[in-house]
Amino acid sequence: MKNEKKARGCRSCEKDFERQVKKTVDAVENYTEKDHEKKEAEVETAFASDERKK
């Protein structure tokens, strides 16, 4: 139980993290849905299991 409390983190830390993520995402210019799909496919391929790659 003690570890579970620590794993949840504090609310202010979560809010700070979410704000930073939003700021970072908003900072990306000219990033289209097509770009996102292309990168997503690259990531899925890179992290696919060996059997899936075959």
Side-chain angles (χ1 to χ4, degrees), residues 3-20:
N3 290 337
E4 288 179 26
K5 284 185 178 182
K6 287 183 181 180
R8 290 185 198 154
C10 65
R11 296 279 185 214
S12 64
C13 294
E14 289 178 30
K15 287 181 182 180
D16 290 344
F17 177 75
E18 289 173 7
R19 273 189 241 125
Q20 185 61 42

Side-chain angles (χ1 to χ4, degrees), residues 10-43:
C10 65
R11 296 279 185 214
S12 64
C13 294
E14 289 178 30
K15 287 181 182 180
D16 290 344
F17 177 75
E18 289 173 7
R19 273 189 241 125
Q20 185 61 42
V21 169
K22 182 172 177 14
K23 182 179 175 184
T24 302
V25 170
D26 290 344
V28 177
E29 295 180 18
N30 300 321
Y31 192 77
T32 65
E33 182 68 26
K34 187 175 180 179
D35 294 331
H36 175 77
E37 290 171 0
K38 183 178 175 184
K39 289 296 180 186
E40 186 175 35
E42 289 176 16
V43 169

Side-chain angles (χ1 to χ4, degrees), residues 39-54:
K39 289 296 180 186
E40 186 175 35
E42 289 176 16
V43 169
E44 287 178 4
T45 301
F47 289 99
S49 66
D50 290 334
E51 289 182 25
R52 187 173 168 203
K53 288 181 182 179
K54 292 179 183 178

